[in-house]
Amino acid sequence: MLDPMGAALGLIFVLAVFALPIGEAMICGTILYLALAGFDTSIAAETMLQGLFNSYTLLAIPLFILAADIMNVGSLADRLLRFSQALVGRFRGGLGHVNVVSSLIFSGMSGSALADAVGMGRIIINMMTKDGKYTPSYAAAITAASATIGPIIPPSIPMVLYALVSDTSIGYLFAAGMLPGLMMGVVLILMNAWLARRRRFPVDEAVPMRAIPGVTFRAIPALLLPVILLGGIYGGVMTPTEAAAAAAAYALLVSVVFYRSVNFGQFYGALLSSGRSTANIGILIAGSLAFNYVITRENVPDMLAGWLQQFELSQVGFLIVINLLLLVLGCVLEGGAILLIIVPIFIPTVQALGIDPVHFGVVVVVNSMIGLVTPPYGLLLFVVQNITKAPLSAIIRDLMPFLYALFAALAIVTFVPDLVLFLPRLLGYQG
């Protein structure tokens, strides 16, 4: 007799190989499992609908996406980029530093690595490659690497997904991502500085000191967005979902009233773009909710926990295994799929070993973001390759030093949990 679980996994694999989106493949696999196991196949639809409509937390995702799309069609990205250039553009390899700093600032608004790469990244890549100052492959590489910071510094769509599967506080997860995100920015800047000296990158024209106050003043409305967003959450004024709505409304207000850079057509385009992105994520979440029913029905988390216990792994040993596994999976799977399908399987083991769930969440999210730039499947690689038209092999070659720097940051995040938990504990976290 055909094994329902094996048949479901086989169908998902085959459909994924033939380029069907992983969310839709999981829905098909779940329906096949239910049919072979003798269950009512309508359970799949019921599970998806209950999971999607009963989760208030999920509303934050389309709102954060909308806020990012509004900023991309307006002039917020340009003003933030000019502000970053005033801060660090005067050093050797300055536009590389600007690339990283602008990602640090923009990440406090979008919560999405792809939004960072497509919006801010497109602008800075054009600046870097103008007049041949930097090769297109190097501009693409540092843009892809710096975009990984976006979902680490709050707000963060992947952390919302992790909170969904682990029942962890979004507010504490957001706080836990701040220092690791800043550290990732620092290691990328240090690597860019080293490469700039080694490759003799140009010293870009500095913004005159007398112009810096004006540049800063024009950027203040945009810079206030993360302050309002995080202040509202940690001040107890707003839930993360309400803060996401406030972020979208504020981005529209600033773009229309202060900067007057968004017309109705552009706003309509932002709505369409955010709707498409939300639908893609929604299908992925729906598929994972349905397939997680199968995983739970087959008792896979407990079986895996029992299998791991026989190795008597310590917390450190388990985290090493998880990092290696997720890094390998990141080469072939999208980050959202890892968070929604793979991570829930390990939650019982995390609890049994006494690993802090907030710390584990940051480790997982950092890992999944590194997966976005890990060959051969890294999604950000294809995004920046499409922008620059540089050969993918050249982009990967220039990316490797930055990838090593990100691995070093991941090691620190993994083995120094106090760094991750410092800010959450200041905010009252008891973990």
Side-chain angles (χ1 to χ4, degrees):
M1 182 177 177
L2 191 62
D3 175 50
M5 185 66 175
L9 290 173
L11 179 62
I12 292 172
F13 176 77
V14 170
L15 292 176
V17 167
F18 284 96
L20 189 74
I22 187 66
E24 297 174 21
M26 286 189 292
I27 294 173
C28 294
T30 301
I31 293 174
L32 178 63
Y33 170 87
L34 293 172
L36 293 176
F39 297 116
D40 187 349
T41 54
S42 65
I43 292 175
E46 181 182 353
T47 302
M48 289 186 292
L49 290 175
Q50 287 182 349
L52 289 171
F53 293 130
N54 291 339
S55 179
Y56 176 68
T57 299
L58 287 179
L59 285 175
I61 294 176
L63 293 169
F64 281 135
I65 293 173
L66 178 59
D69 284 337
I70 291 173
M71 287 185 289
N72 281 337
V73 300
S75 65
L76 274 77
D78 295 304
R79 294 172 190 271
L80 292 174
L81 192 57
R82 183 65 174 167
F83 175 73
S84 301
Q85 191 174 10
L87 289 180
V88 295
R90 63 187 68 248
F91 305 108
R92 182 174 294 278
L95 285 179
H97 298 324
V98 171
N99 197 319
V100 178
V101 171
S102 62
S103 289
L104 282 169
I105 298 174
F106 194 72
S107 66
M109 306 176 193
S110 69
S112 167
L114 295 181
D116 187 358
V118 174
M120 189 75 76
R122 187 183 299 273
I123 301 171
I124 187 64
I125 283 174
N126 290 335
M127 291 175 60
M128 292 182 71
T129 55
K130 185 179 180 180
D131 300 327
K133 293 180 179 179
Y134 300 82
T135 62
S137 60
Y138 186 85
I142 193 170
T143 298
S146 65
T148 62
I149 302 171
I152 311 302
I153 294 178
S156 168
I157 292 173
M159 286 186 182
V160 174
L161 296 178
Y162 175 80
L164 174 69
V165 301
S166 66
D167 196 27
T168 307
S169 165
I170 297 178
Y172 289 139
L173 283 169
F174 280 4
M178 289 185 185
L179 293 181
L182 291 173
M183 180 184 64
M184 290 170 67
V186 169
V187 298
L188 291 178
I189 286 175
L190 292 175
M191 180 58 70
N192 179 67
W194 181 72
L195 292 173
R197 288 188 174 276
R198 184 180 180 185
R199 302 185 185 183
R200 299 185 180 277
F201 287 155
V203 178
D204 301 297
E205 184 178 352
V207 175
M209 294 298 294
R210 65 179 180 276
I212 291 179
V215 171
T216 304
F217 178 77
R218 286 188 289 273
I220 284 177
L223 293 171
L224 283 177
L225 179 54
V227 176
I228 294 172
L229 181 70
L230 300 178
I233 294 174
Y234 301 126
V237 179
M238 297 178 282
T239 66
T241 302
E242 291 166 345
Y250 182 80
L252 181 61
L253 178 68
V254 169
S255 298
V256 173
V257 177
F258 286 91
Y259 295 148
R260 298 180 180 178
S261 57
V262 174
N263 56 38
F264 180 79
Q266 291 172 318
F267 176 60
Y268 180 69
L271 289 175
L272 289 179
S273 175
S274 61
R276 284 191 292 266
S277 299
T278 300
N280 291 334
I281 295 175
I283 288 293
L284 177 60
I285 294 173
S288 69
L289 288 170
F291 193 67
N292 281 340
Y293 173 85
V294 175
I295 291 173
T296 303
R297 187 87 191 180
E298 291 289 320
N299 204 26
V300 173
D302 290 339
M303 291 171 55
L304 182 62
W307 180 75
L308 289 172
Q309 284 175 0
Q310 68 180 336
F311 296 103
E312 298 182 352
L313 292 174
S314 64
Q315 290 185 0
V316 172
F318 175 76
L319 289 173
I320 291 174
V321 170
I322 289 297
N323 272 323
L324 293 175
L325 175 64
L326 294 183
L327 286 172
V328 171
L329 290 175
C331 296
V332 294
L333 278 180
E334 192 268 331
I338 292 174
L339 286 165
L340 292 168
I341 306 169
I342 308 300
V343 172
I345 298 175
F346 293 105
I347 295 299
T349 305
V350 169
Q351 295 170 339
L353 290 174
I355 297 173
D356 186 89
V358 172
H359 173 231
F360 183 70
V362 175
V363 171
V364 166
V365 172
V366 171
N367 221 313
S368 62
M369 291 307 100
I370 293 176
L372 289 175
V373 293
T374 305
Y377 180 74
L379 186 57
L380 283 174
L381 297 179
F382 297 104
V383 171
V384 296
Q385 195 271 337
N386 183 60
I387 295 173
T388 62
K389 309 302 180 186
L392 191 59
S393 58
I395 295 175
I396 293 174
R397 183 177 61 250
D398 283 334
L399 174 72
M400 294 312 296
F402 297 108
L403 196 55
Y404 297 145
L406 291 174
F407 286 155
L410 174 62
I412 296 172
V413 168
T414 302
F415 302 121
V416 188
D418 287 340
L419 172 72
V420 177
L421 299 175
F422 176 74
L423 288 179
R425 285 168 178 163
L426 283 182
L427 296 170
Y429 181 60
Q430 299 300 315

